[in-house]
Amino acid sequence: MDDVTLRRLLDEVATGTVHPDEAVARLRRLPFADVPGARIDHHRHLRQGMPEAVYGPGKRPDQCVAIVGELLAHGDGPILVTRTDDAQRAAVELAHPGFEVHGRTLVWRMPEPDRPQRIVVCSGGTADWPVTEECAVTLRAHGFDPVVLHDVGVAGLHRLLAELDTVTSADAVVTVAGMEGALASVVGGLTGAPVVAVPTSTGYGASLEGVTALLSMLASCASGLAVVGIDNGFGAALAVTRMFPR
């Protein structure tokens, strides 16, 4: 339940459109609702302006079905299930059709873009695409219309410089890169906009499955760079969303 829905409910009680007992029944689901194996945080949208999302790994298909069903029936805003597998997608498609598929992310109630901020997502290489896509679809689910620049890593710096106007005109930039993670420092030195860096687990032996990129980004000489965890495109998108509250 978000601010708008709560105010609408209170107005409906005040005008007699909704009986107080019905309002109480709806409010009982705040701050959370129990489903098998999970407690759905309906209060999160009211607290943070962003509804709860569903992290797929580790959940049984039937648990995904139950969680999505509760969010569809009693939640507001977009519903995201991230990093799904084939069994999870098949189960929720049977129980709750009507979602969009973006890589391994499923989205119900995808909104039309309504936020004016210009967000740019820069991907270091094609291998970073899954994390880049997770970030971009999460931004879209929260009302942004991000510009995605693919394969603009530092191994061919001219590819990024060809998009310099796009990067420097952004209100916020997300960089997604593995290997040595240098893209974040380069972008952070080119723009005055907030930059959120996402290290990815792509790279050869000494990249240590993203640890090298993570440490490089954390040690960046580009002042004010914010860094999220390895492969956390979802978290980067939510960090940007917090920068521009409605």
Side-chain angles (χ1 to χ4, degrees):
M1 178 172 286
D2 59 10
D3 287 353
V4 173
T5 305
L6 182 57
R7 288 192 178 96
R8 185 186 306 125
L9 177 61
L10 294 175
D11 288 342
E12 289 172 343
V13 171
T15 60
T17 307
V18 172
H19 192 276
D21 290 343
E22 182 182 347
V24 169
R26 294 188 199 178
L27 292 172
R28 278 201 188 100
R29 304 195 82 83
L30 294 176
F32 63 85
D34 282 310
V35 301
R39 291 185 172 185
I40 310 306
D41 185 7
H42 288 304
H43 203 241
R44 188 173 306 179
H45 205 165
L46 192 61
R47 295 194 316 271
Q48 298 181 354
M50 300 175 288
E52 182 173 16
V54 185
Y55 178 71
K59 293 183 174 65
R60 299 192 312 266
D62 63 295
Q63 291 174 326
C64 291
V65 168
I67 293 168
V68 171
E70 172 65 27
L71 289 169
L72 283 171
H74 302 288
D76 296 289
I79 300 170
L80 285 84
V81 185
T82 64
R83 307 194 183 189
T84 58
D85 59 30
D86 291 342
Q88 291 168 337
R89 288 192 292 274
V92 296
E93 183 172 19
L94 186 63
H96 309 298
F99 55 85
E100 297 182 17
V101 182
H102 298 268
R104 294 173 60 195
T105 302
L106 313 181
V107 186
W108 288 258
R109 301 196 294 234
M110 178 72 85
E112 292 295 322
D114 64 350
R115 293 182 188 246
Q117 292 83 13
R118 181 178 174 83
I119 313 301
V120 174
V121 182
C122 298
S123 171
T126 307
D128 301 313
W129 167 243
V131 179
T132 305
E133 186 173 42
E134 181 180 89
C135 179
V137 69
T138 303
L139 286 167
R140 292 188 190 103
H142 288 87
F144 297 101
D145 186 17
V147 175
V148 181
L149 302 179
H150 296 290
D151 200 18
V152 292
V154 300
L157 190 59
H158 54 291
R159 300 173 299 182
L160 176 64
L161 296 179
E163 301 285 357
L164 187 58
D165 289 344
T166 301
V167 172
T168 56
S169 65
D171 294 303
V173 182
V174 178
T175 64
V176 183
M179 303 289 186
E180 81 288 9
L183 180 62
S185 289
V186 172
V187 172
L190 290 173
T191 177
V195 177
V196 179
V198 188
T200 71
S201 53
T202 60
Y204 300 104
S207 67
L208 302 177
E209 298 184 337
V211 174
T212 298
L214 172 64
L215 295 178
S216 174
M217 291 173 177
L218 289 172
S220 173
C221 62
S223 301
L225 192 73
V227 184
V228 298
I230 297 170
D231 290 337
N232 193 3
F234 173 85
L238 269 291
V240 170
T241 302
R242 283 177 178 265
M243 292 176 189
F244 304 105
R246 293 185 188 277

